[in-house]
Structures are given as structure tokens and as C-alpha cells.
Amino acid sequence: MARHLTRRSFLKAASIAAASVPLSKIAAQAQPGVVRAPLAAPGTFKNTQTVVGGLCEMCFWRCQMVGKIRDGRLIKLEGNPKSIDNESALCARGNAGVKMLYDPDRLKYPMRNVGSRGAPKWQRISWEEALDTCAEKLKAVIDRDGVQSVCMFPHGSSSRYPNQFFQRTVGTPNISESSFYQCRGVRDLAYMVTTEIPPNEDVDMANAKVIFLLGCHFGENIHLSHVKQYVRGLENGAKLVVVDPRYSASAAKSHIWVPIRPGTDTALLLAIMNYLIQNDKYDIDFVERYGEGFEDMAEGIKEWTLEKAAEECDIPAAQIKEVADLLAAHMPHVAIHPGRFSTWYGNDFQRGRALACLTGILGAFGAKGSFVSAQNPRGITNIRWPMGDEQVDSLQRILDVHHFTPPGTPTELIRDAALTGDPFPIKACVIWGQNLIQTLPNQARTIKMLEQMDFVMCVDIMPTDITMFADILLPDCSYLECYNQIKTGTQWDLAEKHQQFITARMPVAPPGFERRDNVWITNEIAKRLGYGDKIPAQTQEELNDKMLAGAGLSLAQLRAEGGIHIQPGVDDPYGLDDDFIVHFFSDDLDWDGYPPIPTYIPVPRAPEGYYRLLAGRSPLHTFNRTQNNSWLMAENDTNPVWVNDKLAARLGLKDGDEVSLVNQDGIESRTTTTVKVTPGIREDAVYMYHGFGSMSPDLSIGYNKGVDSQSLITKLAVDPETGTHALRNNFVKLVKIS
Amino acid sequence: MQFGMIIDINRCVGCHACVIACKAEWEVPAQFNRNWVHRLGPSMTSAGMAYTYYPGLCNHCADPPCVPVCPADPVRMTMRDARSGKTVTMEVSATWRDPFNGTVQIDTARCIGCGACRDACPYDARYINEALADETSLGKADKCTYCMPRVAEGLEPSCVQTCLARARIFGDLDDPDSEPSQYVKKGAVGLTSDAVQIGPHGLYFGSKKADMELLMQSAPQEMPVVSLRRGLMTKMSLTAKNQVKELGLLGLAGGLLIKSLQDDKKDKE
């Protein structure tokens, strides 16, 4: 063989003859030309194409991203360098979006369930057949029982357009979104009733002197720019108060940790307010100018002495006083966080009211470092499905209950109606991006509700638990493959140059297989149901261009601007409108027979031998949504149950013991987990990450990993004002397996 | 120049983004990590309750025990300082400490995958990717490079770029004005113990005594003992394997070569 053998000539030689030549010798001689698989990855920063317009939806904070593409394949996601929100950063989940995109378990084709609901057998069908079936089944139910016989469970960006179609054009009020009814709706309504403005999480933590968190646990909850505000606030010297039964990631950074008895938060807030009022340590000018019904509230909460709250909350009176004095010393520059996930105990509306009222008496609305409403860009056109001819009363209206609901209908009312047929039957179910098995308490009721349906259709990106109950299962585009969200905002630190941004989600990868976007799927169903003339936009691009047009923008323009349009912000982000008001006493609540001033309503305590089940977040997961992501699961694939060290000693449990959990109704977890023994939790509660223990075997990584905390929540409690679910009123005992 | 990484645990919120960004940047298999975040606590310390994080990565030590144990045949390698243009020629095995920037690097092509370097590291910063085994190796050692290829292009290490809290601060510890050096003055420390004093350049800063006490419990307490025999055995076994292979694997290997030639053709087109 020639010494300087080229690969091409070797190929010739090898293919002609040379059958008996030992290969390793040839390889050694031919070394300069032999191509080996690259042993060292080249990195994603070179020889890649950068695609702008990514808008994350691993969670719902929606950070702005760019995608790095090599050989037509997305290999990395990074914060869009133009972002004034998340900037160059992404969280673990955002970084792991690549693995969601190419997850081999993802839904690929429309499918028909030829098995049964809950034990599906999937048969691939054409889109034509799938859409025809959906329309025919929906139409049959509507024709027989009316539009109110359809219910819908949406979640996420993709579901907004179909949600509007079913709600406005078809006309069913039976729409229940987990982001409201099992998450933040109760907080929203509490603030809306108190201050007439939606709260979001508009607290200027970066510039606060005190940050007050009640149940918020930044570090476990990673809403990126929000956590940046929090970290900067701490760096700038803010004092941090964390009220939590558990020594959370935030408690670990706190100056005062208040390990409160679960369920008693409102008592604490009332005592703080009462103490501040009794000692004239509140913002008298602010209350006089903006407050309404202050005297009524002051009078009504008089009973809440420090000592009474100390007893109820199981914390020292001196600590309550310490917190109150700290807040008073720094008012109005105190960030009282409204919370996000807030459907806890069924007395949550009152807690939200108390938080808003506490913010009010501290004058902590509109001031630097306090609650400051975001001054986002205006002008995005609201392109919506038109209202249909038929308007049906919602269940809460018919039943005259829950007079302060977030958008949609309380989930429990829908389940009740479906299960009883009263006041009307509900026989068709559209599920769009929501995994009801993991979002709703009492899984048996959810399954019964689905079993009695004539038709269940499901649109999702992954074979989540709920997809097992679909008759027709449709593969959606993920957030990396479509246009379905416009996001506006400001720079994350109000102390920096005032800027605003407008961005729209644009695909960083083409949809694989037969996945279709939300606009296409909805329009195709609409046409088949006879609403073709009502379609507001023929394509997702058209819809977004029409919405952006109001702000003088288009998708093409945004793309040319690097995915994000930046414009000057308002001159002064602080201050309040003249008509801003804080309803310490609410006439509206009074009128409907609810407590008009913030009121503490006790909840049941754990029975002997049981412990309250608290569930929260892993920073590596967005509850169940990310449970099949190979990178995230490699980092965190189970949810150990936190048990107080003294309690563990009494129960004979050691760190790492394997246990199952059994709740007060005798329901046992399908899977097991391990015990994490720690002093960082009260003795009357145990804690675990929510979202684990998927029951869908089609999730080859996530199936049966850890314990499904939702499966243990069977006893229902519903917040009376809002109809939102309480998810922390169940109790468990631990059964040692090994 | 000595590159180093400060981890400010006051800022770190334990989000693990650094771990996943690194996986994406360097195509690290899901089951391995070039860096990690260990969640510590909540536990009681002498200074009260603590709950913190140990974001770890290769410490690019001043006296790296992973380097001398490498049994790969040494070669003479000329290294060039990008800034001064100076060159140094050294005899190195498949892993070495860079004379100009103080980082510890691996030549994957010459690594035989014996695992000696992995076993020698008290911080457990290296792994062997057995999926990359070939006729000259049992796999390939891999670890954090401080993202030198990115840094050479003027970029930050991938973990630094993605850190929302700016808890990772990368730079030159020899430059007294650098941000990492300011942290050293404030008291940033490596995870060392009585037995493990090898000059780590990953340094940790936290102002809460309880956090630092808990974090320091992650410091390795003993130096691993690595037998040099293991590397030699690996080399011998590889030689034996190759002798066996020579007896008739041309079909298989020829197929691989043909594929690589086809790929080559594609590249050219």
C-alpha cells in the first residue's frame, strides 16, 4: 500500500480486492486521511445558524431565545442577546427544550383510540378522518343537548385560540383552565376586588427595602426575570421575610423565616395589620387618599392580637411583631408579593385580600420597591373569534355561587354537572394542553367524568396521562415549531433605562411528522362545524401579523429586528392613577354575602397519625410537563418526601427509606418514593415535588418515576368566592416499604 | 494567567441551568455531567439551619492529580499563548495542564479510556464515555474545559452565559483587578480539606456562615489512590484486542471506511 494513501484511493483498492490485508495496519498507514467520528464536540457557537424569535414555553414565563441550528437540527437554545427580560440566561428547563423537541415519545400523527378510555390502543389515522370525527361527534352532542353540553380544559399558548372559538363562537361557558382554577385565579380575583387591577407578579423586588414572601419559593420556582429581580433586591440589601411551613429555597436566603402552621396565613396577616394600625405604624396619608372602608376593617380585625395569631399560627408573638416592625420601618418600599400558585386551603381569596390590604396600609402600591403595575407596550390588536348567536348562562350563574370567578367556569361545577346531569348534561370534552390527571384533585372523579362523555378529544404534544382517555388524539406543534404567542414587557429592573419590548413566538425548527399548529387545527374543526365564515385568521402567521399590526409591527419586521422590538419606556414607572383605590371593605363582597373585610377562616388540621401533604416545585420541572425530558430527568427523576427529623425519629424512618403514602381516605400512592429527613419542615406537614409519578406508559422516561402527589388529593375543598380548588387540605401517612 | 471560576452562593438560587446548558453546548450524554449542582440540606449546622447548593465543575487545579496518572504514550506538543504569541513545547500524555492559562485539558484522540484520571480526581470531575470506545481506546475521558473553545472566540463559558443570578464569575485569578480576584480578597475559598490540597481554581463565596459550613462538608476528605498498573493493563488489553481484530475484521471496518468516504464526498459537495 502506498504510504500516502488517500481515502478515495483506498476505497478503490479496498473495493477491488485486498481482502486479506489486516485492517489496523492499513488504518495506521492511512492515518492522515481516515475520518473518525468526532470524539470531541465542536461546541454550538461555530458553524451553526442562529434562528431568532424563540419564545420559551417550558414554563409560562416565556423567555426570549435564539436557536442554534446545525445540519438542519436544533442543537442549543440560548437567551436572545437582544432580550431586556431574561437577557442571555435561560433556566434548566429552557435549556432542555431541545430534548422536548426531539423526544421520540412525542405525538406524531392523529390517532384514534380503538381500545378504551384509560386503556387506549392507538390506531394512526389521517388528519381528514380525525377532524371529520371530531366535528361529527361534537356536532352530534351539541345538536342533541345544546352548546352547554361541551366542556373544554385548555392550558398554555396553543389553547388560547381554540379556547376563544369554543367559548365565544360556539358559545359554551364550560371552560376551565388550570392556570386559573388550580393556580393563580384566586389571587387575581382577590387583588381585582381589592384594588381593581390585576396583580400579576408586579412587585419591584429589585428596588425594595423589604421583600415579603408568603409561600413563594424563588429558586424552586424559576420565572427567570422575576428571580433576577429577587436576586438583585437581596444584593441591594433588601431584608427578606419568608412565611412558609418549610425551609424553602427562599427561606434559606431569608432574614426572618416564619415557619407558620399551614392554613393560618390570613390570621398572621390580620395580626400584622392590627398591630400596625393599633400602633399608628401604617401609611396614614396613603390610606386616607386611596383607601375605602379602612375604619371598618380596622374595627373588624381588632380581635387579632399578636398573641391570638401566635397561638393560631404556632409561631412566637415576638416574631410577628418583628416582621410587622420591619415592614413599618421601611414602608412604602416593601414588596409584598401577591403570590402565584395560590390555590391552597380553600380560604385563599381571603388570604389574597389580606395581602392586598396589608400592601395598602403600608402605602406599598406605586412606590419604588413596592407593588408597581408594569407599564407594558400598548397597541397589540386583539384579534378574536366573534361572539356566536347563542349565549348560555355559566354554571356559577345558574347555581348562583362563586360570584368572583376568574375567566371560565369553576372546574368542580363542570365535573359535578357532568356526573349528575344537573343542571344540564355535559357529554363532549375538548382537552387542549392540560393534563387533567395531574392538575385536578380527586382523579377518580375526573376519570368518571370522562367515562360518561360521548366524546373526548385531546390535543397535546406529549402522551401525557390525560391523553390515555382520549377518543381522538391530535399532535400539536410545540412552542419551538409555531407562532402562537405575543409577549410584551419592560426591562426587568425598574432602576435601569426605561424600555419596553414586543416579541412574537417564531419557530426555531419545522414541525416534524404530521404535527399541526393550533390555528390550523381549530380552523379545520370550525369549518366542519359550520363556522367557516367566522374564522378570524386563516393561518397562524396571519393571526400574528394582524395582532402586531396595531403596534406597527409584523413578523417580518420582528425577525429583521432580531426577534424582539425594543422601544422607549414610560418616563416614570412609579406613581398611581388618581382613581386608584384600595377596598379595605368591599361593598361588592358584602352584597353577595361574603366577608367584606379580610377574614380568617380556619381549615381542618391533620387527624392523629397523619400529616398535611404540601406539594411544590422542582426547579428542574414545570410540574408534569417536563417529566419525559431526558436531560431534566437525568438531573431530577424523583420526588423524595420531606419529613421533619424529629417526626422521622418517632416514626422510625431514616433518610433514604422507601415509602408509599396513604391519604385520609385510604388512597395509596401507585408508586413509592424515598424519605428525605430534614429539620427544614414543620412536624405537622410533609412535602414533595408535584408533577411526578406519571401513569402514562407511553412516557418511556417519566412513567412511574416518583409519586404523583395529585393522586393523594381526594378530599375536595373549594374557595367560596372564586370556585378555585384547594390543593393542600389532604393528609397522608407514610408506609415503610424498605 | 490562571483561569478560575467563582461561585457566589449568595446569588445562586439552585436552578441547575448551568448543568443543562453545558450538556447542550458540548453534547454531553444525559447520564454524564461536565458540571453539577448538588442540593445541600436543609440541615442544621453550628450556625443554624442551612439549605444551599454545590455547583461543581473541574477545578483546573494547580497540582492536578489527573495529569501524571495518564498512561497514554507521551508526545511532544507545542502550545501557543494566544495573547503573547509565546510558545512552549512540552512532553504530554493525553491530559495536561496548559502552561499559559492554567487549565487542564484532554486530547480525546489520544485518550485510551483507562479511567485512571477519573479515579484520580478527588472532586469526581471526570467521566469516561464508553460509547466512544474504538480500536485504540475503551472510551474517552471528558470533563469541563472551562469552555476554552468558546473563550477563544471571546464568548463566556456556556454555564456562565446562562446563569440568571450571575452566580458564576469566570476570569483570570492572576489579574488582581479581575472580578474573580476581588472575590478572593473577599474570602472565596476552594473545597479543600487537610488531605486534599491541590490548588483548586473553582472558588466559593458565601456570606452566611451556615451555608459555607454546609458547603464545605462537600469538600473531599481524602486523595484517591490510583494504581498505575491499571493504565498499563488497559494499554496491554487494547494491544491484544487489536491483534485479534487484525485477523479478519476487514469486512466490518471496511464498511465503516466506505461510509466515512461517502460522508467525505458529501462534505465536499
Side-chain angles (χ1 to χ4, degrees), chain A residues 7 10-11 18 23-24 36 44-46 76 78 88-90 92 95 219 235 247 252-253 634-635 676 678-679, chain B residues 9-13 15-17 25 30 41-42 49 51 134 150 153 158 161-162 208 246 250 253 257-258 261:
Chain A
R7 274 162 291 173
F10 174 73
L11 172 65
L23 177 82
S24 63
R36 300 169 62 149
T44 66
F45 53 94
K46 254 187 165 174
K76 192 171 183 230
E78 293 182 350
S88 69
L90 290 178
N95 274 294
E235 247 189 320
Y247 199 68
K253 294 197 186 303
E635 199 62 6
K676 175 188 168 81
T678 172
Chain B
I9 61 166
N10 289 350
R11 291 178 180 170
C12 178
V13 293
C15 78
H16 299 238
E25 184 66 41
M49 189 109 71
Y51 180 20
D134 55 18
R150 284 176 62 94
E153 298 286 318
S158 195
Q161 175 184 287
T162 206
K208 276 191 174 177
E246 285 175 10
L250 184 62
L257 272 168
I258 287 165
L261 286 163

Side-chain angles (χ1 to χ4, degrees), chain A residues 154-227:
Chain A
H155 195 211
S157 293
S158 167
S159 71
R160 185 169 309 143
Y161 184 80
N163 179 344
Q164 280 179 8
F165 167 66
F166 282 103
Q167 188 156 15
R168 294 171 62 86
T169 308
V170 176
T172 178
N174 305 315
I175 296 186
S176 203
E177 196 164 352
S178 50
S179 45
F180 292 125
Y181 285 95
Q182 287 78 34
C183 188
R184 63 193 168 89
V186 64
R187 169 206 74 179
D188 292 351
L189 264 292
Y191 272 69
M192 292 288 282
V193 166
T194 309
T195 65
E196 302 182 7
I197 51 171
N200 302 312
E201 282 100 85
D202 292 344
V203 271
D204 183 21
M205 289 189 288
N207 301 292
K209 298 263 196 272
V210 181
I211 300 172
F212 179 91
L213 304 179
L214 197 149
C216 295
H217 39 246
F218 301 124
E220 293 155 17
N221 169 1
I222 303 283
H223 287 149
L224 209 145
S225 54
H226 202 50
V227 180

Side-chain angles (χ1 to χ4, degrees), chain B residues 186-215:
Chain B
K186 279 199 291 185
V189 293
L191 294 185
T192 57
S193 62
D194 289 346
V196 182
Q197 300 276 353
I198 54 176
H201 291 114
L203 304 173
Y204 294 79
F205 177 80
S207 52
K208 276 191 174 177
K209 191 167 173 274
D211 286 352
M212 286 307 284
E213 183 180 322
L214 183 59
L215 175 63

Side-chain angles (χ1 to χ4, degrees), chain A residues 317-573:
Chain A
Q319 192 182 44
I320 305 176
K321 180 171 177 296
E322 186 190 4
V323 171
D325 282 334
L326 182 68
L327 292 170
H330 295 283
M331 68 183 180
H333 311 293
V334 295
I336 308 288
H337 200 289
R340 179 143 168 142
F341 166 64
S342 42
T343 48
W344 300 350
Y345 307 112
N347 59 8
D348 307 305
F349 179 84
Q350 293 298 330
R351 183 185 68 249
R353 282 267 294 145
L355 277 168
C357 290
L358 173 62
T359 310
I361 70 165
L362 294 164
F365 284 107
K368 185 178 179 184
S370 77
F371 181 102
V372 183
S373 283
Q375 302 291 328
N376 290 335
R378 295 173 196 278
I380 303 296
T381 315
N382 199 356
I383 304 293
R384 299 198 291 183
W385 283 89
M387 292 299 278
D389 306 329
E390 207 171 344
Q391 293 304 312
V392 181
D393 272 347
S394 66
L395 283 163
Q396 61 265 43
R397 202 174 170 118
I398 294 169
L399 299 168
D400 196 20
V401 293
H402 309 313
H403 301 85
F404 296 87
T405 55
T409 293
T411 323
E412 206 48 46
L413 297 185
I414 295 178
R415 273 203 312 208
D416 255 336
L419 289 171
T420 61
D422 180 36
F424 48 72
I426 297 179
K427 291 293 183 186
C429 183
V430 180
I431 299 166
W432 204 298
Q434 185 184 155
N435 181 3
L436 274 64
I437 297 297
Q438 287 263 352
T439 58
L440 305 187
N442 200 318
Q443 292 170 347
R445 271 172 75 78
T446 301
I447 291 168
K448 273 191 200 129
M449 169 185 79
L450 294 170
E451 280 170 348
Q452 65 83 47
M453 296 282 173
D454 288 354
F455 178 61
V456 178
M457 64 172 278
C458 209
V459 185
D460 212 313
I461 62 168
M462 294 295 299
T464 61
D465 297 343
I466 193 64
T467 62
M468 297 166 72
F469 296 87
D471 301 336
I472 297 285
L473 181 52
L474 304 178
D476 200 359
C477 286
S478 75
Y479 69 94
L480 294 172
E481 303 155 304
C482 68
Y483 307 81
N484 64 14
Q485 177 75 24
I486 288 169
K487 173 162 170 146
T488 61
T490 69
Q491 90 284 0
W492 61 273
D493 181 352
L494 295 183
E496 289 181 352
K497 184 177 159 196
H498 298 147
Q499 293 181 294
Q500 299 177 328
F501 71 90
I502 300 173
T503 184
R505 173 171 293 146
M506 296 189 275
V508 295
F513 301 93
E514 290 187 11
R515 294 163 190 144
R516 296 286 186 273
D517 67 84
N518 62 334
V519 171
W520 187 88
I521 300 172
T522 310
N523 287 353
E524 289 301 315
I525 291 172
K527 285 178 204 164
R528 286 165 171 79
L529 288 176
Y531 297 105
D533 58 328
K534 307 262 195 272
I535 288 173
Q538 296 300 327
T539 64
Q540 48 174 351
E541 292 92 330
E542 183 193 331
L543 178 67
N544 279 273
D545 272 332
K546 280 183 168 172
M547 292 175 79
L548 289 166
L553 290 168
S554 65
L555 291 171
Q557 179 64 25
L558 280 179
R559 200 169 264 133
E561 291 186 35
I564 305 171
H565 171 74
I566 309 243
Q567 62 191 34
V570 295
D571 291 337
D572 183 3

